[in-house]
Amino acid sequence: MLKGKHILLGITGSIAAYKAAILIRLLVKEGAEVKIIMTPMAKEFITPLTLATLAKNPILVDFFNPENGDWNSHVDLGLWADAYLIAPATANTIGKMANGIADNLLLTSYLSARCPVFVALAMDLDMYLHPANQNNLNILRSYGNHIIEPTAGELASGLIGKGRMEEPKAIADYLCNYFQNNSFLAGKKVLLTVGPTYEKIDSVRFIGNYSSGKMGYALAEELAQQGADVLLISGPTAIKMMHPNIQLCRIESAEEMYRQAVKAFPEADVAIMCAAVADFTPENVSDKKIKRGSEDLIIKLKPTKDIAVELGKLKSPRQVLIGFALETDNEEFNALKKLQAKNLDFIVLNSLNDEGAGFGTDTNKISIIDKHDKKTVFALKPKNEIAKDIVYYLITMLSKK
Ligand code: C5P
């Protein structure tokens, strides 16, 4: 259930820190990648070496590495994480979290994290019950943090009562349940075409386009994050990222992309045509490099097959087909024409007239137009956030289907 999830684990100075070793093993076994931040006190309870070995990632404690000055960016950690789990969380750390105190890396990362936060409590029973601690917990709840309550039993102090950190298995199950309930596309198969195509002229030359594949790969990542099984049919790109839910099928030409897409479509619940497919391809390909001469070189091009049109014909009522349109003029009119001609459920329109939108950029500005001519406009955003908007739009549509 945690396949491909990025879990940031914060460990504070409690005797329950020894349970973190088992917790890490369970999270890794579930498929998560785990990065660990310890408070300086936590190191007194369990060695970083043990935890780093289990997590297969170095342990972070300080704001920077004193040996080489490398900065441990809490902002990057906060953005990397799909979940931030603080286990064990002491009353001291909880008090600081509730009040925005940021005097160690665990706390600065807490303030930077955009992901859900889970707090597994560990403390003595009177500390747990103290109104100051209870008030702090209520503040964390009001921030939307998930509190994993301690269990009752014998405590390290010898007292008996509520304060023992929940068992690692129960904490790992808590996270698994959370992701299961929030994986809106679990069990859905999504076919996604991305990137440019290369149309061969001879053994060393091709006709291509400026598509970087960034938008398509961001979409693939977001779909996978939401639990979908993604078949990524990708033209040549330099992007290297692979969520375990993504199956990569590399192709070069429009014809290869067409064949793979048509083959996979019957199995798909959703198909997203994000690729910048060449509209024309050389009629004849030379198997040797064409030599320069004094004559003009004339290459006759023939039209490629339109993948979206073909899938639109094959589409059954249970399937959803989404297209993209990159327009320079009469944007909305042209996008709507494509939506109808290709039998799409919705089309994502980007205009080359918008600054920061289109090929190669890290940002994009889109509108979505649906079958009923309803238009939703989105602001200029990084492509990974645009991907979230598109996937959220798709999830909402599927929930009404
Ligand atoms: O007609 P136009 O190429 O502008 O349409 C864009 C949409 O059609 C995109 O979703 C693109 O991926 C898809 N398309 C396709 N096969 C083609 C050409 C475009 O799937 N040969």
Side-chain angles (χ1 to χ4, degrees):
M1 202 54 235
L2 299 179
K3 213 160 80 168
K5 293 279 181 256
H6 293 167
I7 311 283
L8 187 59
L9 175 63
I11 303 174
T12 70
S14 153
I15 180 62
Y18 79 91
K19 292 185 182 173
I22 303 159
L23 181 57
I24 294 163
R25 276 195 56 198
L26 292 172
L27 297 173
V28 170
K29 221 169 115 196
E30 283 290 338
E33 187 181 346
V34 182
K35 288 190 180 175
I36 298 165
I37 306 177
M38 297 175 89
T39 61
M41 265 304 275
K43 289 199 302 183
E44 305 294 327
F45 288 92
I46 186 159
T47 74
L49 182 61
T50 306
L51 303 179
T53 310
L54 291 170
K56 300 186 183 73
N57 265 323
I59 305 298
L60 306 167
V61 178
D62 300 312
F63 289 109
F64 61 91
N65 181 338
E67 273 164 25
N68 58 15
D70 269 0
W71 183 246
N72 292 325
S73 166
H74 57 92
V75 176
D76 290 348
L77 286 167
L79 291 176
W80 172 85
D82 297 312
Y84 190 7
L85 168 63
I86 301 171
T90 57
N92 177 48
T93 291
I94 288 161
K96 289 180 179 178
M97 286 161 70
N99 291 287
I101 294 170
D103 63 358
N104 62 41
L105 187 62
L106 184 147
L107 291 162
T108 48
S109 301
Y110 170 69
L111 293 177
S112 299
R114 292 188 183 172
C115 58
V117 176
F118 301 82
V119 188
L121 310 184
M123 60 197 72
D124 219 43
L125 78 167
D126 295 310
M127 291 173 90
Y128 171 70
L129 289 173
H130 197 283
N133 184 53
Q134 289 298 321
N135 285 340
N136 288 334
L137 288 175
N138 282 336
I139 293 174
L140 294 191
R141 286 189 188 98
S142 76
Y143 299 157
N145 297 168
H146 302 256
I147 306 297
I148 304 177
E149 289 286 343
T151 59
E154 191 181 340
L155 304 169
S157 60
L159 297 173
I160 294 177
K162 202 168 169 185
R164 290 165 63 94
M165 185 175 86
E166 189 45 288
E167 290 307 315
K169 174 82 174 71
I171 298 174
D173 286 350
Y174 194 104
L175 255 74
C176 288
N177 285 338
Y178 174 83
F179 282 113
Q180 187 153 30
N181 296 334
N182 290 282
S183 296
F184 296 105
L185 296 176
K188 294 270 182 234
K189 288 193 172 13
V190 181
L191 182 169
L192 180 61
T193 63
V194 302
T197 63
Y198 286 0
E199 307 304 319
K200 250 180 149 175
I201 297 172
D202 63 16
S203 54
V204 295
R205 301 186 182 93
F206 61 85
I207 300 172
N209 62 62
Y210 290 121
S211 168
S212 62
K214 283 181 185 168
M215 189 63 245
Y217 274 73
L219 257 178
E221 176 79 23
E222 185 55 29
L223 290 160
Q225 285 290 349
Q226 291 296 338
D229 287 317
V230 182
L231 173 65
L232 185 65
I233 304 177
S234 173
T237 71
I239 306 173
K240 285 193 187 66
M241 53 121 257
M242 257 328 113
H243 188 287
N245 284 10
I246 303 173
Q247 188 196 334
L248 178 65
C249 168
R250 283 199 185 279
I251 54 86
E252 273 205 0
S253 67
E255 178 61 29
E256 285 169 335
M257 185 175 269
Y258 173 87
R259 271 197 248 124
Q260 294 296 340
V262 169
K263 190 168 94 185
F265 188 57
E267 292 281 303
D269 299 294
V270 177
I272 308 178
M273 307 283 96
C274 191
V277 189
D279 290 321
F280 297 96
T281 191
E283 195 165 70
N284 298 306
V285 180
S286 164
D287 53 5
K288 291 196 189 68
K289 185 178 169 193
I290 300 170
K291 295 270 184 302
R292 172 208 285 269
S294 53
E295 301 280 295
D296 290 351
L297 175 68
I298 296 168
I299 299 170
K300 188 163 180 213
L301 302 175
K302 61 177 184 187
T304 55
K305 293 178 191 133
D306 193 312
I307 305 166
V309 166
E310 184 60 23
L311 300 194
K313 284 186 199 149
L314 298 171
K315 189 171 82 169
S316 69
R318 69 167 188 89
Q319 292 177 304
V320 170
L321 182 60
I322 302 162
F324 274 69
L326 185 71
E327 302 294 336
T328 50
D329 56 279
N330 265 339
E331 288 115 333
E332 219 173 305
F333 176 77
N334 287 331
L336 209 64
K337 250 178 46 190
K338 281 177 193 168
L339 179 107
Q340 285 155 0
K342 301 184 190 220
N343 190 19
L344 305 174
D345 292 272
F346 67 83
I347 191 157
V348 181
L349 167 64
N350 13 187
S351 163
L352 276 184
N353 297 327
D354 286 319
E355 200 166 318
F359 283 156
T361 58
D362 288 324
T363 53
N364 206 0
K365 185 169 181 335
I366 60 155
S367 323
I368 293 181
I369 305 174
D370 74 6
K371 281 198 287 202
H372 313 292
D373 203 3
K374 190 174 151 259
K375 184 176 171 191
T376 314
V377 181
F378 297 85
L380 181 80
K381 294 180 190 182
K383 283 185 172 166
N384 59 344
E385 285 182 31
I386 292 282
K388 282 188 204 298
D389 289 337
I390 297 169
V391 172
Y392 182 72
Y393 192 97
L394 168 68
I395 290 169
T396 312
M397 205 190 91
L398 289 173
S399 69
K400 293 182 191 152
K401 218 171 150 69

